[in-house]
Amino acid sequence: MKTLEVILTRRNIKSFKSEPVNMEQMIKWLNAGAMAPNHRMTEPWEVYFVGEETREKLNHKTNFFGAPIVLTVLSKHGSTEVETVENALATACFVQNFNLAAWAEGVGTFWSSMGNSAKNREILGVPEGYDVIGVFGVGYPEEINEPKQRKSIQDKIKYLP
C-alpha cells in the first residue's frame, strides 16, 4: 500500500482473528515507531507486552476484542513540564508510526486509554515519572469498520496575517 492509502484506510479494529502475529514483524513495526520525531532525541517511549495474567487483571470490558497481542506504550516524563508534553507528543507519533506500519501489512490495532487509571497503572507496573499513552490490542482484523464521518479540514484551517 502507498502511504496515503495506509493513512486513509487505517481503522481502530474492534474484532480480531485469533491468528498469531509474528514477533519479528512486531519488532519491525516497533522499530518503525522509533523513527518518530522526538525533540532532543529523548526517545521517551517504552513498550510493555501484556501477558495473559495481566490482561485478565485489567478486565477490559471487551478483552481487547480478542486481539492476540496486547501492548502498553508509556512515555517518560521530561526534566521540565514542556519536555514532558513534548515526550507525550513524540510517543503518540511513535504509536501512529507503529499503527501505520502494521496496517500496511494487514495487521490492525485497537487503542484504549484505560491504562491511565490508578488501578490499571498499578496492574501494569507503570513506574512514577511515566504516562500511559495507551493500551493496544494488535492482530489481524476479523472485520474492518467503515470510516466515521469527519469534519471538513477546511473548517479547521485558519490563515494568519
Side-chain angles (χ1 to χ4, degrees):
M1 269 193 262
K2 299 243 184 225
T3 305
L4 193 55
E5 182 182 1
V6 172
I7 293 168
L8 294 174
T9 62
R10 190 212 57 81
R11 301 285 178 271
N12 204 31
I13 301 302
K14 295 188 177 176
S15 179
F16 292 94
K17 296 177 182 177
S18 60
E19 180 181 342
V21 176
N22 179 294
M23 284 305 288
E24 285 181 25
Q25 285 182 291
M26 287 289 299
I27 298 303
K28 179 175 75 171
W29 303 328
L30 290 168
N31 276 320
M35 296 306 292
N38 61 105
H39 192 65
R40 297 189 187 113
M41 289 299 292
T42 58
E43 299 181 272
W45 40 79
E46 289 198 20
V47 178
Y48 292 5
F49 281 85
V50 178
E52 286 301 318
E53 183 180 321
T54 303
R55 183 173 174 162
E56 203 170 290
K57 287 178 186 174
L58 287 172
N59 194 28
H60 188 268
K61 63 185 174 188
T62 68
N63 192 20
F64 302 96
F65 298 102
I69 295 176
V70 175
L71 302 175
T72 299
V73 178
L74 309 178
S75 177
K76 185 175 184 176
H77 289 180
S79 57
T80 67
E81 187 176 324
V82 169
E83 189 175 287
T84 296
V85 170
E86 289 172 345
N87 284 355
L89 295 171
T91 304
C93 290
F94 168 92
V95 166
Q96 184 71 343
N97 279 6
F98 168 80
N99 286 345
L100 294 173
W103 188 252
E105 295 189 18
V107 172
T109 58
F110 167 76
W111 187 337
S112 171
S113 61
M114 71 174 296
N116 288 305
S117 74
K119 175 187 168 199
N120 289 335
R121 286 178 63 89
E122 184 177 332
I123 290 168
L124 292 165
V126 177
E128 280 295 315
Y130 284 83
D131 292 315
V132 178
I133 299 303
V135 182
F136 301 85
V138 181
Y140 292 96
E142 184 72 52
E143 61 184 72
I144 300 170
N145 299 328
E146 289 297 316
K148 292 182 179 177
Q149 186 65 38
R150 309 286 170 122
K151 293 180 181 175
S152 168
I153 196 64
Q154 293 298 328
D155 295 339
K156 301 287 186 172
I157 295 174
K158 294 192 183 339
Y159 295 93
L160 303 176

